[in-house]
Amino acid sequence: GQSLEQPSEVTAVEGAIVQINCTYQTSGFYGLSWYQQHDGGAPTFLSYNALDGLEETGRFSSFLSRSDSYGYLLLQELQMKDSASYFCAVRLYSSASKIIFGSGTRLSIRP
Amino acid sequence: NAGVTQTPKFQVLKTGQSMTLQCAQDMNHEYMSWYRQDPGMGLRLIHYSVGAGITDQGEVPNGYNVSRSTTEDFPLRLLSAAPSQTSVYFCASSPTGRGANVLTFGAGSRLTVL
């Protein structure tokens, strides 16, 4: 079956850097996406990697390695407002573009 | 531009009742989908559609029906509610082609089944 695995919780200090990992088992996909969700809110899109390598968007970067079945989201200069849940997701080649999500990582930031 | 609109925001049902969660988008997106979110379980795909008249099952389709008669609307029907369907439901949409990997979510519908 298809699955994306993430750590359930990560804690970091304000101003620091944190990496949230996503390992996957899928038969084939178009790319790896990342979403942020604050408590009580809806998920919002953060970044997308179609190809292997690093994509940078401001304080956030995302990385994909298809050969290692692995990706990560890197958050720099952490702010208290970054406390949220983060989800990786893929759109599958099979099943007519179905998009599935990992179980999510809750990021807690300490002052 | 409203984006993705879900109604109702909150609903309480008794076991065995049926109801429909509404989802509408005004972005002319071809792809629409329903997810449920339970604590610690992430977002699980219920049903999805790649265009009007086309629907398919996701990871957890049992107990739910969908239809897609127009590009804009994608309602989710609970046929006979069960306590296991207590959850937060999100509708999401995306275009095809270049933006296909960017989902826009509705605000969510919180359902409680007693």
Side-chain angles (χ1 to χ4, degrees):
Chain A
Q2 326 279 0
S3 67
L4 297 94
E5 301 293 329
Q6 300 180 236
S8 58
E9 293 185 32
V10 172
T11 302
V13 177
E14 189 176 17
I17 299 172
V18 72
Q19 179 174 310
I20 298 173
N21 297 325
C22 175
T23 56
Y24 56 84
Q25 289 184 326
T26 74
S27 55
F29 61 96
Y30 288 96
L32 185 70
S33 300
W34 288 91
Y35 289 78
Q36 179 190 60
Q37 184 182 30
H38 287 100
D39 285 348
T44 56
F45 173 80
L46 283 178
S47 71
Y48 172 66
N49 292 71
L51 304 173
D52 283 9
L54 194 68
E55 291 284 341
E56 297 180 76
T57 309
R59 293 188 298 114
F60 294 1
S61 303
S62 57
F63 174 82
L64 174 63
S65 170
R66 290 178 186 264
S67 59
D68 295 322
S69 298
Y70 165 72
Y72 65 73
L73 179 69
L74 191 73
L75 295 81
Q76 303 181 73
E77 301 172 17
L78 285 171
Q79 301 175 10
M80 297 304 292
K81 68 178 182 178
D82 297 329
S83 293
S85 293
Y86 294 84
F87 298 88
C88 58
V90 295
R91 185 164 70 94
L92 300 175
Y93 283 151
S94 63
S95 307
S97 302
K98 180 167 70 174
I99 298 176
I100 61 172
F101 282 76
S103 54
T105 299
R106 185 174 184 86
L107 174 62
S108 300
I109 299 175
R110 304 193 313 267
Chain B
N1 194 351
V4 179
T5 303
Q6 290 183 232
T7 56
K9 285 186 168 41
F10 301 93
Q11 183 71 49
V12 178
L13 291 178
K14 294 181 179 177
T15 297
Q17 287 184 316
S18 62
M19 78 156 299
T20 299
L21 298 177
Q22 302 290 347
C23 176
Q25 52 89 12
D26 61 0
M27 299 171 285
N28 203 32
H29 285 173
E30 291 293 326
Y31 181 89
M32 295 186 75
S33 53
W34 278 101
Y35 294 87
R36 61 175 289 173
Q37 186 172 37
D38 305 297
M41 299 290 289
L43 293 153
R44 293 186 290 170
L45 181 63
I46 305 171
H47 286 286
Y48 63 104
S49 168
V50 297
I54 306 169
T55 64
D56 209 342
Q57 295 183 350
E59 302 165 290
V60 288
N62 292 341
Y64 307 95
N65 273 357
V66 291
S67 59
R68 185 94 180 269
S69 56
T70 67
T71 299
E72 294 78 20
D73 299 298
F74 190 45
L76 179 72
R77 297 182 186 84
L78 281 70
L79 308 173
S80 177
S84 61
Q85 294 178 304
T86 294
S87 189
V88 179
Y89 292 84
F90 287 100
C91 179
S93 71
S94 76
T96 52
R98 216 176 147 74
N101 296 287
V102 181
L103 284 173
T104 300
F105 282 82
S109 299
R110 184 176 294 274
L111 175 67
T112 301
V113 182
L114 303 175

